[in-house]
Amino acid sequence: MFTRRMTKQRQVVLEELKKLTSHPTAEELHQIVRHRLPGISIATVYRNLEILCEEGNAQKIDVAGTRRRFDGDTSTHYHVRCARCGRVEDLPIDPFPQIEETARKNCKHRVLTHRVEVVGICPDCEHLERDALTF
Amino acid sequence: MFTRRMTKQRQVVLEELKKLTSHPTAEELHQIVRHRLPGISIATVYRNLEILCEEGNAQKIDVAGTRRRFDGDTSTHYHVRCARCGRVEDLPIDPFPQIEETARKNCKHRVLTHRVEVVGICPDCEHLERDALTF
DNA sequence: ATACGTGCAAACCGTTTGCTAAGGG
DNA sequence: CCCTTAGCAAACGGTTTGCACGTAT
């Protein structure tokens, strides 16, 4: 069988992800983890994030064409993404159970979960654009 | 200024996308368009899909998948995605205006749009999995 | 002692881009 | 005619993988 080992690298990746609320990309998390483990490779970060998600200790925030982000908060919650810089924040709104209920009623899928994402331009990027236009 | 030209390629890409309700990837659409234009390249399909989206004649379905999918239906509507095969279908449920309203109230973003996606396993994949497990 | 995990670099894969030729307006 | 667009192939960027060594159990 398969015995999972708690290596230093895995532990630090998990700990640092759980500390963050910034929905980091693998690369961002890699930079952070390097403060504690300078030699850790990006591949190891990816592999451990994958394992974390498998185990249900984290989740991927996947948008095609952008960098994948990871979230140490596995409760059901929604996100706001900046269309320009890609940063993701939590959206303070209660989940709508109707979404999965409707899906169960009307689709033949075995429903697993649902995702809601608001897309907008964050204040920082708004200012940048204004500057760029005004120049 | 900039004058957009209606080439044969652009026209066929648009026409074929509008015919479909299957939310194809660029590659899938490329295969279909090739029946009418055997020499068309995947780059041309990508470029024209990008233009279609800019013009508001199509939209990208970018939530939770590796491959980007495109939708010729630009009205606000939600999707169900199979976590196994990646296929996307429309979800017959009325949009929730509260989602964007809440975002406008509680975030400082300039809200542009929102996306809702139910993730599940489609019947086909369910059977495949069962077969695989039973075999 | 025995695999599982790591670091490294190369492979991968969907998407984008630079270039040159073609053709729409 | 001019300038956008197409086709081709190479580049790109994030993610994954093969390999040999290291290390937790």
Side-chain angles (χ1 to χ4, degrees), chain B residues 33-77:
Chain B
V33 167
R34 283 225 273 202
H35 295 138
R36 292 175 59 189
L37 299 174
I40 193 172
S41 74
I42 186 77
T44 297
V45 173
Y46 272 111
R47 279 190 279 236
N48 281 313
L49 283 170
E50 191 62 40
I51 289 166
L52 245 186
C53 291
E54 262 175 39
E55 291 173 340
N57 287 315
Q59 60 176 78
K60 300 173 184 170
I61 308 179
D62 266 351
V63 177
T66 311
R67 303 160 94 108
R68 173 171 295 164
R69 288 175 176 273
F70 296 87
D71 193 342
D73 175 0
T74 56
S75 68
T76 299
H77 64 283

Side-chain angles (χ1 to χ4, degrees), chain A residues 17-18 20 23 57-59 71-77 79 90:
Chain A
L17 179 63
K18 287 293 183 185
L20 295 169
H23 313 87
N57 287 316
Q59 60 177 81
D71 194 342
D73 176 1
T74 56
S75 68
T76 299
H77 64 283
H79 294 123
D90 291 331

